[in-house]
Amino acid sequence: MTQAPAPPRAARRQHDREIVTLAVPAFGALVAEPLFVMADSAIVGHLGTAQLAGLGVASALLMTAVSVFVFLAYATTAAVARRVGAGDLQAAIRQGMDGIWLALLLGASVITVVLPMAPAIVELFGASDTAAPYATTYLRISALGIPAMLVVLAATGILRGLQDTKTPLYVAIAGFVANAALNVGLVYGADLGIAGSAWGTVIAQCGMAAAYLTVVVRGARRHGASLRPDAAGIRASAQAGVPLLVRTLSLRAILMIATAVAARLGDADIAAHQIILSLWSLLAFALDAIAIAGQAIIGRYLGAGDTQGARQACRRMVEWGIAVGVVLGVLVVISRPVFLPLFTSDSVVKDAALPALVIVALCQPICGVVYVLDGVLMGAGDGPYLAWAMILTLAVFTPVALLVPTLSGGLTALWATMTLMMTVRMLTLWLRSRSGRWLVTGATR
């Protein structure tokens, strides 16, 4: 990170208040997202094993498709926050509307692909003959909600850029409650089976999108921002999102390679890997919440031309990332005996997971730095560097990970390789932050 004098105590307290104010609600909203899938699984699971298996395949496909477009939130947050820092709320909301129009276009494009190709996609992902019809039904219906899901991402980015993470939390909670109620009513009350679960999710997602649009439209009218689609603005939003898309795809590739390697280690190892990966994702929510705060805060400082404030905020957020990472690591070590029995009673799986969890615990402070600096550079609009850094990380990780089965390394060796991956990410992000090249001021980058 760029060398900056330690901020005085009053400045540190101000940064702390900003971080907590933005990060805590963001964490709640992030946790609410996977609860959608959990609620669907709990309700559909009582219909039968084939239905639950079909849901598993379809929901994995949907979540993968939506996660690929997470740049709609990240890029929009940075762009809007810069405009806010520059004091131009009208342009900030106008910038956000470009992201929403892009989300609608991308969502419509995904629908045109998924609807006719759903059976082939389900078959490609290896669904059994009994599960495939249910997976196809769920995928086709749920695909209708993808535009709403993408609008939610873009609108969330707008509100984060406006320094508001509480509204996304409230909308996420309301969406979860509505989704659960609709699922129960449509699956069992209307006797629609797995189709009812899909329709419940679509309706809930559309309701969330409508709530966000209501907030954004009110803000646009209040500040005189146009709601009409602007081709140049949409094109600029897409161009800003491409590097972040490359970054996300590279990260997804790393996780897929890790899972493929774990599968080659044996049934016990892949089972333990999935358990650890679920914990890894949960821990990531806490760290990602700080990163989201970083996107909003850094974008605002740079938009206001305050490089010193951006440096100090970055320094303080890194300190937060390390501290939270240490706490999470200690919690992982302490909770291992309690955590593992929640997922398995197989002693072989437990034996495989226990030492790997120690590696995960030791990695958490590194993860804290990575997530924070990732958010800082996103907030600075430094997407091209993030893309190249992640491609480099993928290039380093892949050959080392593929050597794990060849060298008879077990799951602990695989997760040591994951720690290597995070260390490479940390080094690339630290070098960039230290260089100061991300400190580009102005309403636009």
Side-chain angles (χ1 to χ4, degrees):
M1 164 172 64
T2 301
Q3 290 291 340
R9 184 173 300 177
R12 285 200 301 270
R13 284 200 297 266
Q14 178 186 346
H15 291 314
D16 289 344
R17 283 195 298 270
E18 288 184 328
I19 293 167
V20 171
T21 299
L22 291 171
V24 172
F27 174 70
L30 289 170
V31 171
E33 292 174 8
L35 293 179
F36 271 79
V37 178
M38 291 179 62
D40 288 0
S41 299
I43 294 167
V44 171
H46 292 285
L47 295 174
T49 302
Q51 288 91 332
L52 183 58
L55 172 66
V57 172
S59 62
L61 289 168
L62 284 166
M63 295 311 296
T64 298
V66 173
S67 67
V68 165
F69 297 115
V70 73
F71 69 82
L72 289 166
Y74 294 160
T76 304
T77 297
V80 171
R82 275 185 175 270
R83 299 280 191 179
V84 169
D88 193 346
L89 289 177
Q90 182 186 75
I93 296 175
R94 173 65 262 179
Q95 186 97 41
M97 283 304 305
D98 294 333
I100 287 179
W101 283 112
L102 177 60
L104 288 170
L105 290 173
L106 291 172
S109 300
V110 173
I111 286 179
T112 61
V113 173
V114 173
L115 287 183
M117 296 187 63
I121 295 173
V122 167
E123 182 179 357
L124 179 65
F125 276 76
S128 67
D129 292 340
T130 54
Y134 297 111
T136 301
T137 297
Y138 191 92
L139 182 60
R140 275 183 167 156
I141 296 173
S142 293
L144 299 175
I146 287 179
M149 294 180 192
L150 300 189
V151 166
V152 166
L153 286 177
T156 299
I158 295 175
L159 295 179
R160 289 173 180 170
L162 293 171
Q163 316 297 297
D164 176 9
T165 56
K166 290 183 179 178
T167 299
L169 172 61
Y170 300 148
V171 174
I173 293 172
F176 169 72
V177 173
N179 179 67
L182 286 165
N183 268 257
V184 172
L186 294 175
V187 171
Y188 297 111
D191 198 25
L192 294 179
I194 195 169
S197 177
W199 280 117
T201 299
V202 169
I203 295 170
Q205 291 287 352
C206 289
M208 292 173 66
Y212 276 118
L213 289 175
T214 299
V215 174
V216 173
V217 168
R218 284 177 180 171
R221 289 174 176 169
R222 187 182 311 121
H223 298 286
S226 173
L227 298 173
R228 295 179 180 177
D230 176 66
I234 294 171
R235 188 162 52 249
S237 294
Q239 290 171 348
V242 168
L244 297 180
L245 174 62
V246 172
R247 167 200 168 275
T248 301
L249 290 175
S250 300
L251 181 57
R252 298 292 301 183
I254 287 171
L255 296 176
M256 289 176 65
I257 290 169
T259 300
V261 169
R264 293 177 62 186
L265 298 176
D267 290 347
D269 284 311
I270 184 61
H273 176 75
Q274 289 302 113
I275 294 172
I276 295 172
L277 200 59
S278 66
L279 175 62
W280 177 278
S281 299
L282 179 61
L283 298 173
F285 287 140
L287 299 173
D288 202 26
I290 305 174
I292 288 169
Q295 293 170 31
I297 293 170
I298 294 299
R300 191 188 75 236
Y301 273 118
L302 294 179
D306 187 356
T307 57
Q308 184 67 14
R311 288 192 185 100
Q312 291 182 345
C314 176
R315 178 191 182 110
R316 190 57 177 161
M317 280 184 283
V318 168
E319 293 171 354
W320 268 81
I322 294 172
V324 173
V326 169
V327 171
L328 292 176
V330 171
L331 289 176
V332 169
V333 172
I334 293 175
S335 65
R336 284 184 307 159
V338 178
F339 173 74
L340 286 175
L342 295 176
F343 291 87
T344 181
S345 58
D346 190 328
S347 60
V348 178
V349 175
K350 291 179 183 178
D351 290 342
L354 278 170
L357 281 173
V358 174
I359 301 295
V360 170
L362 293 174
C363 185
Q364 290 311 297
I366 297 174
C367 293
V369 176
V370 168
Y371 276 82
V372 167
L373 290 181
D374 206 39
V376 165
L377 295 183
M378 283 184 190
D382 206 12
Y385 181 83
L386 291 173
W388 284 112
M390 190 59 77
I391 290 173
L392 173 63
T393 303
L394 174 62
V396 172
F397 170 79
T398 301
V400 178
L402 294 178
L403 283 174
V404 170
T406 304
L407 298 177
S408 300
L411 192 64
T412 303
L414 175 59
W415 276 93
T417 305
M418 291 287 284
T419 300
L420 170 66
M421 178 270 293
M422 294 301 291
T423 302
V424 172
R425 288 187 69 189
M426 182 180 70
L427 290 174
T428 58
L429 296 173
W430 177 77
L431 288 172
R432 183 63 168 184
S433 65
R434 187 177 177 82
S435 73
R437 294 176 183 173
W438 56 280
L439 290 165
V440 179
T441 59
T444 59
R445 183 179 171 90

